[in-house]
């Protein structure tokens, strides 16, 4: 079992930056694909980015060039650096994990989820 805990969400003005974290426990994330998803009010949970243990990365088009996923193996933690934030980025951001060496973009592909962290971008 992998437990995931997100942190670092908050409020930021449009154009600003925020870094959110996903700390894993229970098992090392070695050999896991890690993903970030987000869910805005009244909308379905949508894919943002994923990263394999081999460092393959896939970004959803709307965040390319603005968001960066990274991993600190020693801390068993994954990060999402978000720059040039827009009001439409406002959502609860969720971290997810699946034991795999492939890229996965559907929320149904992941086995473990965190509780989410709220990101609010004001115009």
């Amino acid at each position: 079992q992998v437990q995931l805990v997100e942190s670092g969400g908050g409020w930021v003005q449009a154009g600003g930056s925020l870094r959110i974290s996903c700390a894993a426990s229970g098992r090392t994330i070695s050999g896991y694909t890690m993903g970030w998803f987000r869910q805005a009010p009244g909308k379905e949970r949508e894919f943002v980015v994923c990263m394999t243990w081999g460092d393959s990365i896939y970004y959803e088009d709307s965040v390319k060039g603005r968001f960066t996923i990274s991993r600190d193996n020693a801390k068993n933690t994954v990060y999402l650096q978000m720059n040039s934030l827009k009001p439409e980025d406002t959502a609860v951001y969720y971290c997810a994990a699946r034991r795999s060496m492939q890229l996965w973009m559907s929320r149904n592909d992941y086995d473990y989820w965190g509780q989410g962290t709220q990101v609010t971008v004001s115009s």
Side-chain angles (χ1 to χ4, degrees):
Q1 288 279 359
V2 176
Q3 291 80 43
L4 303 173
V5 178
E6 300 95 335
S7 62
W11 177 91
V12 64
Q13 286 190 320
S17 298
L18 207 59
R19 188 180 79 159
I20 56 179
S21 303
C22 172
S25 62
R27 286 187 178 181
T28 174
I29 56 175
S30 169
Y32 281 77
T33 292
M34 303 299 295
W36 284 100
F37 289 75
R38 63 187 180 186
Q39 187 167 16
K43 295 187 177 182
E44 292 191 351
R45 193 170 299 187
E46 65 177 13
F47 170 80
V48 176
V49 60
C50 64
M51 174 189 240
T52 68
W53 183 250
D55 293 335
S56 294
I57 297 173
Y58 185 85
Y59 291 95
E60 192 272 328
D61 285 346
S62 70
V63 306
K64 280 181 183 176
R66 300 190 299 123
F67 290 12
T68 303
I69 189 172
S70 63
R71 184 181 61 230
D72 185 329
N73 297 334
K75 295 182 178 180
N76 218 32
T77 298
V78 176
Y79 303 97
L80 184 64
Q81 176 68 43
M82 302 181 290
N83 299 328
S84 302
L85 282 161
K86 305 175 182 180
E88 50 264 45
D89 294 318
T90 294
V92 177
Y93 282 71
Y94 296 91
C95 176
R98 171 179 173 148
R99 185 162 180 79
S100 173
M101 296 301 288
Q102 294 179 256
L103 294 166
W104 300 97
M105 281 71 82
S106 169
R107 65 181 186 269
N108 296 322
D109 294 326
Y110 289 82
D111 300 311
Y112 304 101
W113 291 86
Q115 83 291 346
T117 186
Q118 176 71 48
V119 172
T120 303
V121 185
S122 66
S123 57

